[in-house]
Amino acid sequence: MSPAPKKVLALAGGVGGAKLALGLARVLPPERLTVVVNTGDDDTFHGLHVCPDLDTVMYTLAGLADPERGWGIAGDTFWTLEALGRYGAPTWFKLGDLDLATHIRRTELLRQEWALSQITQELCRRLGVKQRVAPMTDQPVRTVVVTEEREMAFQEYFVRRGSQPRIRGVRFEGAPQAAPSPQFREALAGAEAVVFCPSNPVVSIGPILAVGGVRKAIATFRGPRLAVSPIVGGQALRGPAARMLAELGEEASCVGVARRYAGLCDVMVIDETDRHQAQRIRELGMDVAVANTVMRTDEDKEALARLVCELAGL
Ligand code: FO1
């Protein structure tokens, strides 16, 4: 009898996470990969339930993602949003015409009392995604950004305000009371390795770790745990990760990311640019691997995923 296939649990936020998830999807058979995705960024627009990170991962694995933006659907148009604007509805969050179908369908199924994890499975199946993609939880969790002005939902801070207000903290409302989704629970119990994708450690991975029991489950996970730093040369590859870490009084570097993952991660993969930081990360009790972590092409994604799997002994 052949041994059970070694399964990988990848934790991901939006665009950066989706890139490594795609790399992993290219090197592992689909039944070996579960991608658990942040839902703290979810919000309601025009009465529709929008899950930006879940959709980014789903569209990326389905080969539908817009290659420039990383989010939304390639070639989408924005006529409906323009028409909504004529009625005075807010249009700062750019929902495309094709993308809207996802939010309409999800909202309808939620109304029929499907769990978000079931809906995600259904949408993925319909789009031909073979890997398991699951929300971190089926319960509502909202990332609240505490800024110098006032508290605001993540999309308002990130998209509407362009990450400009200085932040004092973040809160993941509902996370401690929430339970991991069934697929997340199964992967935590049965996966051979955990991979922290190169996503924002504060607002993408942070909410996942804040879900009830997750931090402890990863701290006591018996297999290898690897993280790829989303910060290269002190800059986030995308989004506000570096700025947020700095404003929270933490180091905006791969070392700052490693500090957040201390006790949760065995190996940090950092970019060639940050080779000189390796010793500082080792002092936190982690091994370090140095590689090209900037994923411009699908081959880059695949190469990084291959390295992660090798480091995990898969
Ligand atoms: N990001 C933006 O910067 N501007 C937008 O208007 C925007 C719209 C949008 C619509 C659907 C979707 O799934 C994602 C969208 N994103 C947009 C991306 C999203 O705000 C972030 O990438 C994530 O929430 C952070 O991971």
Side-chain angles (χ1 to χ4, degrees), residues 22-278:
L22 181 62
L24 290 166
R26 286 169 66 109
V27 303
L28 291 167
E31 65 278 7
R32 289 181 58 190
L33 179 61
T34 299
V35 189
V36 165
V37 184
N38 169 41
T39 53
D41 298 6
D42 296 8
D43 215 327
T44 305
F45 295 99
H46 317 291
L48 301 173
H49 188 87
V50 180
C51 302
D53 287 359
L54 269 175
D55 291 345
T56 297
V57 170
M58 178 174 77
Y59 294 153
T60 300
L61 294 180
L64 294 173
D66 184 287
E68 303 300 318
R69 295 189 306 251
W71 51 266
I73 294 179
D76 213 345
T77 50
F78 294 86
W79 297 111
T80 310
L81 198 70
E82 199 182 306
L84 282 163
R86 269 186 249 136
Y87 292 125
T91 57
W92 53 267
F93 197 72
K94 304 292 179 217
L95 295 171
D97 297 317
L98 301 176
D99 191 24
L100 276 164
T102 305
H103 317 310
I104 291 170
R105 186 74 187 132
R106 175 186 293 123
T107 306
E108 169 58 15
L109 293 175
L110 281 170
R111 206 184 56 80
Q112 292 176 22
E113 298 188 357
W114 285 42
L116 184 60
S117 54
Q118 291 176 305
I119 298 170
T120 306
Q121 223 170 354
E122 164 72 1
L123 298 178
C124 283
R125 186 179 70 79
R126 297 278 184 170
L127 293 184
V129 175
K130 302 257 177 333
Q131 297 74 17
R132 272 188 162 191
V133 177
M136 60 190 195
T137 176
D138 281 327
Q139 281 102 47
V141 172
R142 292 294 168 267
T143 295
V144 176
V145 185
V146 184
T147 79
E148 281 184 351
E149 288 175 28
R150 59 181 170 80
E151 295 188 352
M152 50 187 89
F154 178 77
Q155 298 301 343
E156 184 181 5
Y157 161 77
F158 178 55
V159 175
R160 189 173 194 184
R161 304 295 306 277
S163 313
Q164 284 309 308
R166 283 186 67 85
I167 69 162
R168 291 199 172 134
V170 286
R171 263 205 334 266
F172 308 118
E173 265 176 23
Q177 306 89 292
S181 62
Q183 295 86 344
F184 192 6
R185 251 177 296 156
E186 200 182 310
L188 283 168
E192 299 286 326
V194 176
V195 177
F196 293 71
C197 290
S199 297
N200 186 320
V202 181
V203 286
S204 296
I205 303 296
I208 301 178
L209 295 174
V211 170
V214 169
R215 184 175 280 277
K216 186 164 173 226
I218 295 181
T220 55
F221 186 79
R222 71 228 167 284
R225 302 159 302 173
L226 302 97
V228 178
S229 173
I231 299 199
V232 172
Q235 305 283 323
L237 291 170
R238 252 191 121 92
R243 174 194 285 254
M244 292 183 104
L245 281 174
E247 290 176 3
L248 292 172
E250 298 174 42
E251 187 174 313
S253 74
C254 57
V255 182
V257 178
R259 285 202 183 115
R260 285 218 153 218
Y261 296 159
L264 299 173
C265 175
D266 309 297
V267 185
M268 277 291 295
V269 183
I270 62 172
D271 194 73
E272 299 281 0
T273 316
D274 292 318
R275 184 180 283 278
H276 62 286
Q277 303 277 30

